[in-house]
């Protein structure tokens, strides 16, 4: 620990002398000898400490490593102490009081999505359906509680095919008014919704549909998607998630993205089934993904008019598609408007088909109501100057992907990541040459992976007795055996390289990870997505775009320190974590000592975790 030493001159006319007078009494001038004696003793102690420090500096030579580490620990402890004192009087200075529960109207509350407030705020032309977090700052802080009839989801994989109807906000009318294919895939019972599994005896059409898509792009069957370079799929308007559930069974990462819905949410239902999903739309802003992110974009009756806004929606699909990626569009052909899906008349091209030619897409095939295009693998094609083709984006605009306004220019053509999907290595193992594209040293990358493998073993050894035994176990239940698991939806709130995800896969844990890369730090999301993982950019000063009670476990390593530099509210962060955690969910925090200590007080006193609410936190400090 640092020792600050200063030499002060004692002046009888100074305020310091007045303080000594109060200590020793008014006879200090006559007892100057006593004061001198005390000063000499203090000086000898000071010199003795200095001499001992000097002696230590001489004698540590034979064992420099031990004392250097000890000195480093003392210096770190001192810095953590000063960080704690400095921060505690700043943005963490919150009056810690227990928060009340929100009203019943907020049981499915998603911040930043308030259409009426957005309209009053002057947003229109589709922007009123976007997220506007600046309009929700003044909302009262409260704890979002579950519905009265909420029940803990069934263990995976049983929970994929059977969910409790009271856990989501869908009415019987919404189910009955859904499409015929939906009725074939779902059974609405008294308190459950049952989805018919592909491997069951009842035909649901999803497996044949995937097989049809595979054949249309030249594959023998849907099990060859990975061999064709399709690792990740963005499913727009995913319905009730059966298409994504089938792709997950094929070892693909299918992420559902759908607009915010007050009732009958596609995203909420998909997450309840243990499938990756996030709220998002194609109204006026880009999706929170970098360019060249997905091998396939899928839209089945996703209610998007692709020929609107001069093709900007299609340009956004082109932006997130990898080179050589596929756009799959399935919709009825009976629409009255003149769109892509209208029956052709002679050799005339529809507006959308004509626009896809301008952005170098090739039409692959059409079968029934399904159309497929493929993005070009030739980056120079965009610069060929076709009449009416959109211009190329400037490089600085190409890096903006966090809810940036939709652009009418083509991006990604100058990226080092422009690699045709069939040329990329399959699986999560990346070569040294591929890592170099992201500016990452292979030694650093694989050291990070090994670290998280050992760390996850420690996590799991601590959680297993709780997750598989006394905590969520109901009286009379047997301890579940792998792969049955109470933990399915996991979020890594500061994912770095995606090492925790790799560790879960290596440990054969039946979970999926939403890898979140915080805005303001190094953007490693392209590296995460190119490993075949799910991920998204997010600013943790704002709420996360998901419904309440949608994650079983939250993991945050180094996030608290990052937020302290951004002056974000720790209380708002923990409120958000409480909102998106399921009852009996878990949160694991690891950070430096100062950040962990700063997190303890608001977490315990305001959120009430110490009072036995049905969520638990585990925290640790990492130097």
């Amino acid at each position: 620990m640092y020792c600050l030493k200063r030499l002060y001159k004692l002046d009888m006319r100074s305020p310091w002398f007045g303080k000594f007078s109060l200590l020793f009494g008014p006879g200090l001038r006559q007892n100057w000898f006593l004061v001198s004696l005390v000063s000499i003793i203090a000086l000898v102690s000071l010199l003795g400490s200095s001499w001992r420090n000097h002696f230590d500096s001489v004698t540590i030579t034979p064992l420099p490593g031990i004392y250097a580490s000890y000195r480093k620990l003392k210096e770190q402890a001192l810095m953590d102490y000063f960080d704690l004192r400095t921060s505690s009087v700043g943005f963490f200075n919150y009056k810690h009081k227990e928060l009340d529960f929100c009203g019943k109207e907020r049981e499915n509350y998603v911040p930043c999505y308030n259409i009426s407030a957005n309209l009053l705020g002057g947003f229109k032309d589709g922007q009123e359906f976007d997220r506007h977090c600046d309009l929700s700052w003044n909302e009262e802080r409260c704890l979002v509680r579950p519905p009265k009839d909420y029940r803990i989801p069934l263990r995976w994989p049983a929970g994929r095919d059977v969910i409790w109807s009271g856990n989501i906000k869908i009415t019987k009318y919404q189910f009955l008014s859904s499409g015929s294919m939906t009725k074939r895939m779902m059974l609405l019972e008294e308190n459950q919704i049952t989805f018919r599994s592909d491997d069951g005896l009842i035909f649901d059409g999803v497996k044949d549909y995937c097989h049809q898509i595979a054949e249309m792009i030249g594959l023998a069957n849907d099990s060859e998607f990975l061999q064709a370079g399709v690792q990740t799929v963005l499913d727009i308007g995913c319905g009730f998630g059966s298409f994504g559930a089938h792709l997950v069974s094929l070892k693909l990462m299918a992420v559902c993205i759908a607009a915010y819905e007050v009732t009958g949410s596609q995203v909420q239902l998909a997450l309840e089934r243990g499938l990756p999903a996030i709220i998002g739309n194609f109204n006026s802003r880009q999706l929170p993904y970098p360019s060249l992110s997905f091998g396939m974009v899928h839209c089945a009756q996703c209610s998007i008019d692709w020929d609107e806004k001069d093709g900007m929606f299609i340009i956004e699909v082109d932006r997130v598609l990898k080179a050589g990626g596929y756009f799959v569009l399935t919709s009825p052909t009976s629409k009255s408007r003149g769109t892509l899906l209208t029956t052709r008349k002679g050799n005339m091209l529809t507006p959308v088909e004509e626009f896809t030619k301008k952005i170098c897409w090739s039409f692959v095939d059409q079968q029934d109501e399904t159309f497929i295009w493929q993005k070009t693998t030739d980056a120079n094609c965009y610069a060929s100057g076709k009449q009416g083709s959109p211009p190329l984006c400037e490089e600085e605009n190409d890096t903006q992907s966090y809810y940036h306004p939709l652009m009418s220019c083509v991006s990604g053509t100058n990226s080092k990541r422009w690699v045709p999907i069939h040329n990329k290595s399959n699986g999560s193992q990346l070569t040294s040459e591929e890592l170099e594209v992201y500016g990452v040293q292979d030694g650093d990358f694989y050291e990070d992976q090994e670290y998280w493998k050992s760390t996850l073993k420690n996590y799991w050894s601590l959680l297993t007795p709780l997750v598989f035994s006394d905590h969520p176990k109901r009286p009379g239940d047997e301890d579940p055996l792998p792969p049955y698991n109470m933990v399915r939806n996991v979020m890594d709130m500061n994912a770095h390289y995606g090492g925790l995800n790799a560790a879960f896969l290596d440990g054969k844990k039946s979970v999926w990870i939403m890898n979140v890369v915080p805005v303001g730090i190094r953007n490693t999301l392209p590296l995460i997505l190119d490993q075949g993982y799910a991920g998204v950019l997010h600013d943790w000063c704002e709420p996360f775009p998901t419904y309440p009670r949608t994650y079983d476990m939250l993991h945050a390593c180094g996030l608290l320190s990052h937020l302290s530099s951004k002056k974000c509210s720790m209380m708002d962060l923990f409120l958000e974590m409480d909102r998106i955690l399921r009852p009996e969910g878990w949160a694991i925090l690891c950070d430096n000592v100062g950040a962990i200590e700063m997190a303890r007080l608001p977490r315990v006193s305001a959120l009430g975790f110490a009072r036995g609410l049905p969520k638990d936190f585990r925290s640790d400090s990492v130097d």
Side-chain angles (χ1 to χ4, degrees), residues 151-223:
R151 300 182 64 175
I152 301 300
L154 300 176
R155 299 183 180 99
W156 178 267
R160 176 193 58 196
D161 300 324
V162 179
I163 65 174
W164 304 111
S165 57
N167 291 6
I168 60 173
K169 199 169 184 180
I170 182 172
T171 64
K172 187 175 183 179
Y173 170 77
Q174 289 169 330
F175 170 75
L176 294 176
S177 62
S178 59
S180 59
M181 187 174 181
T182 298
K183 291 189 181 72
R184 291 200 306 267
M185 292 188 295
M186 294 175 57
L187 292 175
L188 184 62
E189 301 176 359
E190 182 179 357
N191 59 355
Q192 289 182 340
I193 298 177
T194 303
F195 300 85
R196 309 183 184 191
S197 176
D198 280 335
D199 54 4
L201 299 177
I202 303 178
F203 169 80
D204 64 10
V206 173
K207 188 172 183 178
D208 283 356
Y209 175 66
C210 289
H211 184 77
Q212 177 188 9
I213 293 175
E215 286 186 335
M216 291 173 69
I217 63 177
L219 305 178
N221 52 60
D222 52 7
S223 63

Side-chain angles (χ1 to χ4, degrees), residues 96-279:
H96 305 301
K97 62 180 181 180
E98 292 185 1
L99 298 175
D100 294 329
F101 288 105
C102 304
K104 183 178 176 60
E105 70 281 358
R106 285 201 181 187
E107 289 178 352
N108 294 280
Y109 169 66
V110 180
C112 304
Y113 289 93
N114 190 325
I115 298 176
S116 58
N118 294 342
L119 289 172
L120 292 175
F123 295 100
K124 56 183 180 180
D125 297 330
Q127 295 185 21
E128 66 272 19
F129 300 102
D130 287 329
R131 66 195 304 266
H132 298 283
C133 296
D134 52 333
L135 299 181
S136 62
W137 288 123
N138 296 327
E139 294 179 352
E140 180 184 2
R141 286 186 174 102
C142 58
L143 294 169
V144 176
R145 60 183 178 182
K148 183 179 179 180
D149 52 351
Y150 182 86
R151 300 182 64 175
I152 301 300
L154 300 176
R155 299 183 180 99
W156 178 267
R160 176 193 58 196
D161 300 324
V162 179
I163 65 174
W164 304 111
S165 57
N167 291 6
I168 60 173
K169 199 169 184 180
I170 182 172
T171 64
K172 187 175 183 179
Y173 170 77
Q174 289 169 330
F175 170 75
L176 294 176
S177 62
S178 59
S180 59
M181 187 174 181
T182 298
K183 291 189 181 72
R184 291 200 306 267
M185 292 188 295
M186 294 175 57
L187 292 175
L188 184 62
E189 301 176 359
E190 182 179 357
N191 59 355
Q192 289 182 340
I193 298 177
T194 303
F195 300 85
R196 309 183 184 191
S197 176
D198 280 335
D199 54 4
L201 299 177
I202 303 178
F203 169 80
D204 64 10
V206 173
K207 188 172 183 178
D208 283 356
Y209 175 66
C210 289
H211 184 77
Q212 177 188 9
I213 293 175
E215 286 186 335
M216 291 173 69
I217 63 177
L219 305 178
N221 52 60
D222 52 7
S223 63
E224 296 184 359
F225 276 132
L226 279 175
Q227 300 177 23
V230 179
Q231 288 182 281
T232 52
V233 178
L234 184 65
D235 191 9
I236 305 172
C238 55
F240 297 141
S242 293
F243 179 68
H246 179 70
L247 292 180
V248 168
S249 69
L250 299 176
K251 308 302 181 184
L252 273 67
M253 176 52 66
V255 180
C256 164
I257 186 166
Y260 168 72
E261 300 167 272
V262 178
T263 60
S265 166
Q266 303 170 71
V267 170
Q268 187 183 31
L269 198 149
L271 286 165
E272 188 68 21
R273 298 184 65 186
L275 303 172
I278 189 172
I279 299 175

Side-chain angles (χ1 to χ4, degrees), residues 28 86 124 297 342 344 388 533 539 585:
L28 181 60
T86 303
K124 56 183 180 180
V297 174
T342 308
R344 299 187 184 191
Y533 305 155
D539 185 351

